[in-house]
Amino acid sequence: MPGGRLTYEDRRRIAAWLAEGLGYAEIGRRLGRPTSTISREVAHNGAPGHYGADHAQQVSSDRARRRKPARPAEPAADEQQAELVRGFVDRFATLLAATGLPRMTSRVFVCLLTADADGLTAADLVRRLRVSPASVSKSIGSLEAMELVVRRPDPGRRRERYVIDDDAWLRAWQADTGAHADIATAAQRGVEIFGAETTAGARLGTMGRFFGRLSEQMSGRTLTETAVCDALTVLAALVHADRPLTLGTLATALDWPRGRTTAALDVIQRQPAIADPLALKAIGPRTYGLTTRPDRLSPAQRGALDR
């Protein structure tokens, strides 16, 4: 067919037309082929006066066999498994990298995550990931800083193994929880500096509430029914009094020990969602009052209510 390989029938026609004295252009036109195809066919497989279809077909077949690449040997089962593992590591590392973890650090982490209980050495990581020792060293340092990887001696050898132990997740969880609480505290400080009515203050207030609640949920701290009831009672007392009260005044009015009153105030401060939409505010030394949460009303809403 035009554009494909010349067939035996094509070559028989070329031989016949050459014998009749036709030129390459005319033969090409009759076969629907470029002139260059006909000229190369004759040059490679014979000559104008000595071109034979049988000889040309044999030469072309021999040449095609020589050009055909040898079929690659089937990879061994171990190599197939290694390729599957490398593919998984790369895909999983891509997902982790999307969360902000550097790509190489993600690959090292997933490689360790899928290793046996005794972990891997730096040389193992270099070989499995096909990267430089410097890349592995830098990634290990980052993972150690996040307390996701621990070093262990390799018995009988002067080197170390890297392991992800069972406590890694708890350490990572606790680190994230502490960071979220710090962000919430810093955001609240920003609200006090910029003012809740400003655009910056409103943004920081929303941010502080989000990370504060995230920290509370991740901390795993659960309150007993008694602790929640005491916190709500203190809030009710402050609302009823409609003025700041000292710790001593609250304890006396509620007929509670000071320790119980202090614990209730501490619950409200640690988990401000209990007081929502109000917020506990320290007025002075051991003196407390209530205010509205700055992130519950927009500046425009507060302005309209103040008119």
Side-chain angles (χ1 to χ4, degrees):
M1 60 179 291
R5 292 181 180 276
L6 290 172
T7 65
Y8 177 58
E9 182 61 28
D10 291 335
R11 291 187 169 96
R12 288 184 59 189
R13 291 177 179 176
I14 291 172
W17 288 330
L18 285 173
E20 293 176 9
L22 295 180
Y24 294 158
E26 178 60 20
I27 294 174
R29 186 185 65 77
R30 293 188 180 189
L31 287 178
R33 303 278 186 158
T35 302
S36 59
T37 298
I38 307 304
S39 63
R40 282 197 302 269
E41 167 67 16
V42 175
H44 290 163
N45 301 320
H50 301 86
Y51 181 85
D54 293 337
H55 174 73
Q57 184 69 21
Q58 183 63 46
V59 171
S60 178
S61 298
D62 291 344
R63 186 184 299 111
R65 281 195 294 271
R66 289 196 298 271
R67 286 199 300 263
K68 187 176 181 180
R71 184 175 181 180
E74 291 293 330
D78 289 347
E79 182 58 26
Q80 287 182 326
Q81 179 64 20
E83 286 298 327
L84 286 175
V85 170
R86 277 192 288 270
F88 173 79
V89 168
D90 285 341
R91 287 191 297 273
F92 203 161
T94 299
L95 294 175
L96 291 177
T99 69
L101 199 65
R103 169 74 176 174
M104 181 52 63
T105 303
S106 299
R107 294 185 69 203
V108 171
F109 178 74
V110 178
C111 201
L112 289 172
L113 186 66
T114 55
D116 293 334
D118 58 353
L120 298 171
T121 65
D124 293 333
L125 290 166
V126 168
R127 184 175 63 258
R128 291 193 181 192
L129 296 174
R130 299 175 180 175
V131 296
S132 68
S135 297
V136 168
S137 178
K138 182 178 179 180
S139 297
I140 288 292
S142 298
L143 292 171
E144 285 184 310
M146 291 183 281
E147 298 188 48
L148 291 175
V149 170
V150 295
R151 295 174 184 250
R152 290 181 181 169
D154 194 4
R157 301 187 181 183
R158 298 179 61 183
R159 61 183 183 181
E160 295 175 313
R161 304 189 74 84
Y162 302 103
V163 179
I164 297 178
D165 62 13
D166 294 336
D167 293 332
W169 313 114
L170 177 59
R171 290 194 300 271
W173 182 276
Q174 290 173 336
D176 281 346
T177 302
H180 292 152
D182 291 342
I183 292 173
T185 300
Q188 185 55 44
R189 175 59 179 157
V191 173
E192 296 171 0
I193 292 173
F194 292 98
E197 295 78 12
T198 65
T199 300
R203 288 173 181 159
L204 288 168
T206 301
M207 180 180 179
R209 183 175 66 172
F210 172 80
F211 280 100
R213 289 185 175 176
L214 189 62
S215 176
E216 291 167 14
Q217 293 170 1
M218 292 181 65
S219 67
R221 292 193 297 264
T222 56
L223 298 174
T224 65
E225 184 178 352
T226 299
V228 173
C229 287
D230 282 357
L232 294 175
T233 300
V234 167
L235 290 170
L238 290 169
V239 169
H240 181 79
D242 196 23
R243 70 181 190 279
L245 298 176
T246 65
L247 174 63
T249 301
L250 272 170
T252 299
L254 297 175
D255 195 22
W256 287 356
R258 291 173 68 92
R260 181 179 177 183
T261 308
T262 300
L265 289 165
D266 181 61
V267 167
I268 300 170
Q269 290 174 321
R270 285 190 294 107
Q271 301 205 19
I274 291 176
D276 196 9
L278 302 175
L280 185 67
K281 185 176 183 180
I283 307 300
R286 298 197 174 189
T287 303
Y288 304 90
L290 289 178
T291 185
T292 57
R293 288 183 63 134
D295 53 353
R296 278 299 175 205
L297 296 173
S298 68
Q301 290 169 331
R302 283 192 292 271
L305 291 169
D306 290 339
R307 291 176 187 153

